[in-house]
Amino acid sequence: MTAGHLLLFAALAMLVSALTGRFARRIWLASTIAGAVAALAAAVWVLAGGAEFEWRSGFPVGGEPLHVRFDAISAFFIALLSIVGGACAVYSSEYWTDEAHPRSARAGRVWWSGLLMSLGAVLLSSNGLHFLVAWELFAVSCYFLITLDRQRAETRQAGWLFLAASHAATLCLFAFFATMAARTGSWELGPMRERSDLSPLFWLALLGFGVKAGMFPLHIWLPSAHANAPSHVSAVLSGVAIKAGIYGLVRFSGWLPPPAGAGWVVAALGVASAVLGVAFALGQHDLKRLLAYHSVENIGIILIGLGFALVARAQGNAAWGLLALAGALLHVWNHGLFKSLLFLGSGSVVHATGTREMSLLGGLWRAMPWTAGLFMLGAVAISGLPPLNGFISEWLVFLGLFDAVNSPGSVALATIPALVLLGMTGALALACFTKVCGIVFLGQPRSGAAERARECGPLMIGPMIVLAAACLAIGLAPAFFYLAVARAAAEWNPAWGGVGGPASLGTLGLANILLLLVGALAATLLWWRTIRAGLRRAPTWDCGYAKPTARMQYTAGSFAGIINEWFAWILRPWREERRPEGAFPSGASLVDHTPETVLEHLVEPAGEVVMRISGLARRLQHGRLQSYLLYIVIGLIAVAALVLRANGP
Amino acid sequence: MTFILETLLRLAAWLLAAPLLPGIINKVKAWIAGRRGPPVLQLYYDLARLWGKGVVMSTLASPGFIVGPAVAWVALVGAALIMPLGGAGGALSFRGDVLLLVYLLALARFCTAWAALETGSAFEGMGAAREVSYAVLSEVALITAVLSLSVQTGNVTLTDMLALSVGSGAVLLAAGLFAVLLAENCRVPFDDPNTHLELTMIHEAMILDHSGPPLAVILHGASLKLLLFAVLLSQVVLPLGRLSPLAAAGALVGTVLGVTVAIGLVESLTARFAFRRVPLLLTAAFLLCLFALLLARKGGVG
């Protein structure tokens, strides 16, 4: 039994699941889980130090032999794909049932298998042509999963935007792989670190993969797609699919020699994504849209780490680059885990209440204690707080940047703003998640729907528990998981192969364990003391006001108001208010909304210009045959003139 | 064995000394105002009294209302144990421990804000919103201060970062950190711990509904945080690594007392700022720390 056998088994199981998805729900679920477990086992095999797996077919497919390469970087991403893909498949079997969604549930299962298989093929393929084919299949599966609920116009629009952005990205990737094939004479991919003539291609890859990863300002498709897709799809989109973009960047920045300054560009884009992603998130009132913007933020953190790793590699493989890269890679896992946990949690909320609007939620902890508790765990993790996993990866990135500042040379000064803004991102994320947890789960229900909410079943809670346990495990035993990260990092830059991890990672894990244990102990003691001292329940003391109502609570908008004002220059919030007037005011209202600014103020105006120019061109086509003949004559004369000129004296 | 004994001793010192600071501040304020003021040990009496009292909990609140303060207190105690004390170092010291300290403070903030939002009261929501929003700016200033300490000493371990004075930047850094201390601990001019108008409060607004033992834990945690920042500020200024252990301990205690008196003086002599001016003051604190950082950088290169 080797990684190759396990992969083959996983592929066969996924094939069975794709074939049975339409009619046999149970077999689909069983084979998807079997495939995920086998793929995870294969990934663990390689990450734990087992032999890497490489296979070339004797027969060509589409003119090229299949080339599968399963190294530590592939294994790293496959591990995430299999955990999140498997967990969300279980979740979907209760969340998106045949009974509730007779039109789409069957297709949803088949596309789910298609997504897992095509993404797996992207991660394994080592041939440019097959990579592109797999990439397109992956994009199409994503599209059909996003638009599962396509009765709603919003969903169709989100799907269309996704498809357009995705194809713009694929165009860049076509150019990337085709140029590379033309230069090297083969579609085969592999380490080409000596070919400095290939380095400008990195910019094409950055554009193409950057759109998929959702980095600012190429993230325009991301919020609406994540918000309108069914929640198990949002979870896999945010947890895994956008990581395919990161995979591409990691893979090809490792294999190709990146151009000078590439690291700084990536890091700068990362900083912009991190700060602006969380700023936009704070302005949202839609629970899933808010989570989607946090994906932009976390991709930013990953890019900061990757960017500084590139800088370090260009500076003679400085050791701090390994810390930054390790932080970035570990954050790929961490974000995949806690973000899919949060999306599944939001899915349970939507399932129970039928709304994503935070101003209609509230007080859900009473009806949904499991969901509330698990969502809170995810919130602590994504805010980068100890003792969970988000803290570990942010700690690694921070440590790398601190060392970069302390390193001799010109790197130090430019690192300072990145470090300060990374610190700011953490505090902003914390502000955003206190808002989400507080508004959605605590307080008093703000609508009848929130009051009638019921906890979801075990098939929805179970996968969330698995993801939460993974978050906790990485937080408590970082030194153990670092081994896997180090193998992937060594694959990226062989010069970092023998460099050991930070010695203090074990101590950090110990501190996290202590924090968890003592925290639990203190909470128990205080609870016990409170009961002993006498616990009485009474209405909230609202400044002596006798009859507080749900509508008097603080809202999501007011909670984020202070910070939104700081970022108003880019958020451009839209606001409509009717102030109370006169001695006996009859009514007042305030509506505010943070739009997708890049889309509405940059892409759409640019699109309109293109449409207007196209409109001008349309005047040439009017159906009058005489004019068409005239065009042909003019065209012929022009061609003749060109030919004569070329052959002339 | 000695390690455990030492840690317990250190823990006892932190836990017992912390409630002294608010008492001193109040005494200073009373002296300036020409009153006799409450006894210096007032907070100890308050804590003892609260510990024995019953609890009234909002009907809306979940167990998080009690768990939140407990976890926040543990996080603050953890941060205190990491903080080195003069020559004695920290109970737990490793490369990058300073980041753990910063994030433990963040964890405490998360838990306090969480517990505040449990009640569904607009006032506590308002307090929590202000707390987490202004913390963004003070965290930026704090990270910059940490960074300048790190650049000055070429280190990311607290014990080594604080062993020597930061040199020429010390004054700038001390001024910046003092502003951060006032903001993070909700003192005048950012917040007024004595006000009784809920609309104008930050920290006090968050804990309006807490009572009994949980309130005692919150109050003790707040005093611990104040002591933590005062100790940090003192060590940034003092080159304790150069002194003998006894002298270092004396200097540390003296400076912490000095900082406490300074807080009392600020509270007596200035009024609370309007909320829209709070970001300005915090930005100024950030700039002070940034200038200290640039000075440290310049010193390192030149």
Side-chain angles (χ1 to χ4, degrees):
Chain A
M1 203 71 164
T2 63
H5 292 118
L6 286 168
L7 274 186
L8 185 67
F9 178 77
L12 289 176
M14 287 315 298
L15 209 61
V16 170
S17 84
L19 293 175
T20 54
R22 272 213 92 72
F23 49 87
R25 188 160 58 171
R26 294 238 167 91
I27 300 179
W28 171 79
L29 189 59
S31 52
T32 307
I33 293 173
V37 169
L40 181 63
V44 169
W45 176 287
V46 169
L47 289 174
E52 295 180 354
F53 170 71
E54 198 166 356
W55 177 74
R56 252 194 203 80
S57 70
F59 52 90
V61 176
E64 291 283 320
L66 286 175
H67 185 182
V68 171
R69 183 198 296 261
F70 190 53
D71 62 4
I73 294 182
S74 299
F76 195 84
F77 284 84
I78 289 270
L80 180 64
L81 170 69
S82 46
I83 291 182
V84 175
C88 295
V90 176
Y91 183 91
S92 75
S93 62
E94 186 180 322
Y95 175 74
W96 207 261
T97 53
D98 285 322
E99 292 76 35
H101 304 275
R103 295 167 67 104
S104 59
R106 289 154 187 274
R109 286 197 291 271
V110 176
W111 284 115
W112 188 267
S113 307
L115 172 72
L116 297 191
M117 274 200 290
S118 55
L119 189 49
V122 166
L123 297 176
L124 290 173
S125 162
S126 191
N127 181 297
L129 201 63
H130 298 141
F131 188 101
L132 278 174
V133 172
W135 186 265
E136 266 309 279
L137 282 174
F138 158 56
V140 170
S141 325
C142 281
Y143 168 76
F144 280 105
L145 283 172
I146 290 170
T147 54
L148 273 187
D149 190 16
R150 68 179 74 99
Q151 272 76 34
R152 292 169 47 239
E154 266 181 319
T155 309
R156 290 197 297 273
Q157 214 168 1
W160 192 87
L161 186 60
F162 166 79
L163 208 59
S166 180
H167 276 97
T170 311
L171 202 62
C172 295
L173 293 184
F174 262 109
F176 172 67
F177 284 110
T179 321
M180 194 153 64
R183 293 259 179 96
T184 59
S186 143
W187 285 95
E188 287 285 298
L189 302 174
M192 290 176 261
R193 298 189 180 97
E194 312 308 318
R195 295 286 303 266
S196 55
D197 60 316
L198 294 178
S199 66
L201 289 180
F202 177 80
W203 302 120
L204 276 175
L206 182 62
L207 212 58
F209 290 123
V211 171
K212 186 61 85 181
M215 75 185 179
F216 199 89
L218 305 175
H219 67 284
I220 46 165
W221 62 272
L222 197 146
S224 58
H226 283 61
N228 288 299
S231 294
H232 63 292
V233 176
S234 317
V236 86
L237 273 185
S238 181
V240 188
I242 61 171
K243 303 303 186 316
I246 295 293
Y247 168 76
L249 283 177
V250 168
R251 179 55 100 193
F252 292 102
S253 63
W255 274 349
L256 300 179
W264 290 117
V265 173
V266 172
L269 286 169
V271 170
S273 306
V275 175
L276 295 178
V278 69
F280 273 100
L282 270 159
Q284 306 303 319
H285 305 315
D286 175 334
L287 176 57
K288 287 177 71 181
R289 236 181 128 76
L290 180 146
L291 291 177
Y293 275 110
H294 272 285
S295 299
V296 177
E297 175 223 336
N298 282 282
I299 286 295
I301 295 175
I302 294 169
L303 289 179
I304 293 175
L306 182 62
F308 277 94
L310 281 167
V311 172
R313 209 173 69 179
Q315 304 253 340
N317 300 320
W320 50 264
L322 175 60
L323 286 175
L325 181 67
L329 286 173
L330 190 58
H331 207 69
V332 168
W333 268 6
N334 290 345
H335 178 246
L337 294 169
F338 55 62
K339 183 51 74 61
S340 26
L341 170 62
L342 288 168
F343 264 120
L344 295 186
S346 74
S348 302
V349 169
V350 174
H351 196 66
T353 63
T355 180
R356 310 192 306 247
E357 196 58 45
M358 280 191 274
S359 51
L360 297 177
L361 298 170
L364 291 180
W365 73 269
R366 199 179 287 277
M368 313 175 72
W370 283 95
T371 307
L374 291 164
F375 193 95
M376 191 211 71
L377 190 130
V380 172
I382 198 173
S383 306
L385 298 177
L388 295 180
N389 57 350
F391 171 63
I392 303 293
S393 43
E394 287 190 24
W395 183 83
L396 282 167
V397 175
F398 261 119
L399 205 60
L401 295 196
F402 265 100
D403 285 356
V405 173
N406 282 323
S407 69
S410 55
V411 178
L413 217 53
T415 314
I416 292 172
L419 227 169
V420 171
L421 288 171
L422 187 60
M424 186 173 178
T425 308
L428 284 170
L430 189 149
C432 194
F433 274 93
T434 41
K435 159 183 143 173
V436 176
C437 292
I439 301 297
V440 174
F441 292 104
L442 305 179
Q444 201 174 349
R446 290 178 175 78
S447 67
E451 233 163 85
R452 288 186 297 275
R454 285 284 161 271
E455 182 63 286
C456 46
L459 285 181
M460 282 164 76
I461 296 175
M464 287 198 273
I465 292 180
V466 170
L467 293 170
C471 287
L472 195 62
I474 296 182
L476 297 184
F480 176 72
F481 289 94
Y482 184 85
L483 298 175
V485 176
R487 284 189 68 85
E491 189 71 42
W492 189 76
N493 182 2
W496 285 334
V499 184
S504 46
L505 212 51
T507 324
L508 192 65
L510 193 68
N512 279 347
I513 293 174
L514 276 178
L515 180 64
L516 187 73
L517 291 180
V518 178
L521 183 71
T524 319
L525 278 179
L526 188 59
W527 185 254
W528 174 77
R529 177 68 219 168
T530 304
I531 301 290
R532 287 264 328 226
L535 179 63
R536 201 156 56 80
R537 291 279 192 166
T540 297
W541 190 81
D542 228 359
C543 218
Y545 192 75
K547 284 202 183 315
T549 70
R551 292 194 54 194
M552 287 165 62
Q553 296 177 89
Y554 228 43
T555 61
S558 34
F559 195 91
I562 300 173
I563 298 179
N564 280 348
E565 224 159 273
W566 299 344
F567 284 99
W569 56 275
I570 183 142
L571 297 183
R572 314 236 173 165
W574 173 87
R575 170 184 279 254
E576 190 182 89
E577 59 179 307
R578 201 153 57 82
R579 288 175 175 274
E581 275 167 11
F584 300 99
S586 57
S589 67
L590 171 72
V591 182
D592 73 342
H593 164 66
T594 302
E596 173 40 61
T597 307
V598 179
L599 183 65
E600 291 186 10
H601 293 273
L602 213 69
V603 178
E604 281 181 359
E608 267 164 32
V609 170
V610 172
M611 291 309 281
R612 211 170 302 145
I613 294 171
S614 315
L616 290 179
R618 196 184 246 176
R619 287 195 195 160
L620 295 174
Q621 192 181 20
H622 35 58
R624 280 197 295 276
L625 199 60
Q626 302 94 315
S627 308
Y628 288 176
L629 287 173
L630 185 66
Y631 296 162
I632 294 174
V633 172
I634 292 173
L636 281 174
I637 290 173
V639 170
L642 273 175
V643 170
L644 285 177
R645 238 181 101 106
N647 296 340
Chain B
M1 196 59 212
T2 49
F3 171 74
I4 294 177
L5 210 65
E6 196 205 304
T7 308
L8 284 179
L9 206 65
R10 184 190 296 271
L11 193 63
W14 277 101
L15 297 186
L16 291 179
L20 202 57
L21 265 59
I24 297 174
I25 294 176
N26 284 335
K27 205 71 186 172
V28 170
K29 284 166 75 175
W31 277 336
I32 302 249
R35 294 181 281 116
R36 275 177 59 205
V40 175
L41 299 181
Q42 184 61 47
L43 187 53
Y44 295 90
Y45 306 144
D46 287 350
L47 291 177
R49 189 166 43 89
L50 285 171
W51 192 250
K53 279 206 166 194
V55 176
V56 182
M57 193 164 135
S58 164
T59 41
L60 301 175
S62 82
F65 187 71
I66 311 278
V67 173
V71 175
W73 183 81
V74 169
L76 289 168
V77 171
L81 287 179
I82 294 173
M83 178 65 74
L85 288 173
L92 187 69
S93 176
F94 56 92
R95 230 177 93 73
D97 55 359
V98 62
L99 292 165
L100 181 59
L101 181 106
V102 172
Y103 275 88
L104 280 173
L105 293 178
L107 177 64
R109 193 188 323 135
F110 183 87
C111 292
T112 319
W114 170 284
L117 289 169
E118 287 276 1
T119 57
S121 149
F123 294 113
E124 297 182 59
M126 204 181 289
R130 286 172 183 161
E131 165 92 353
V132 297
S133 303
Y134 296 139
V136 171
L137 294 176
S138 57
E139 181 137 318
V140 165
L142 187 61
I143 285 276
T144 315
V146 165
L147 192 56
S148 81
L149 286 172
S150 164
V151 166
Q152 182 72 33
T153 57
N155 232 308
V156 267
T157 313
L158 263 173
T159 314
D160 299 322
M161 284 162 70
L162 294 174
L164 300 173
S165 160
V166 271
S168 45
V171 179
L172 290 171
L173 209 52
L177 275 178
F178 189 64
V180 172
L181 179 150
L182 294 177
E184 280 280 313
N185 292 288
C186 299
R187 315 296 313 189
V188 177
F190 296 94
D191 186 12
D192 190 348
N194 287 337
T195 181
H196 286 288
L197 186 58
E198 289 84 350
L199 277 172
T200 62
M201 301 191 292
I202 302 178
H203 186 259
E204 295 296 316
M206 281 201 293
I207 61 174
L208 272 177
D209 260 274
H210 282 278
S211 53
L215 181 61
V217 167
I218 291 175
L219 291 181
H220 188 262
S223 68
L224 202 60
K225 190 172 172 187
L226 182 60
L227 180 60
L228 188 77
F229 272 90
V231 168
L232 174 69
L233 177 57
S234 310
Q235 299 198 82
V236 165
V237 187
L238 296 174
L240 291 180
R242 294 220 184 95
L243 303 178
S244 70
L246 206 63
L252 186 60
V253 171
T255 320
V256 167
L257 284 179
V259 170
T260 317
V261 171
I263 298 170
L265 289 177
V266 168
E267 298 221 333
S268 307
L269 303 177
T270 56
R272 197 179 56 76
F273 275 9
F275 273 122
R276 65 195 154 75
R277 289 181 53 197
V278 167
L280 294 182
L281 193 55
L282 279 172
T283 313
F286 160 65
L287 288 177
L288 287 170
C289 294
L290 187 67
F291 287 140
L293 170 60
L294 295 179
L295 257 180
R297 174 91 201 126
K298 193 78 187 150
V301 172

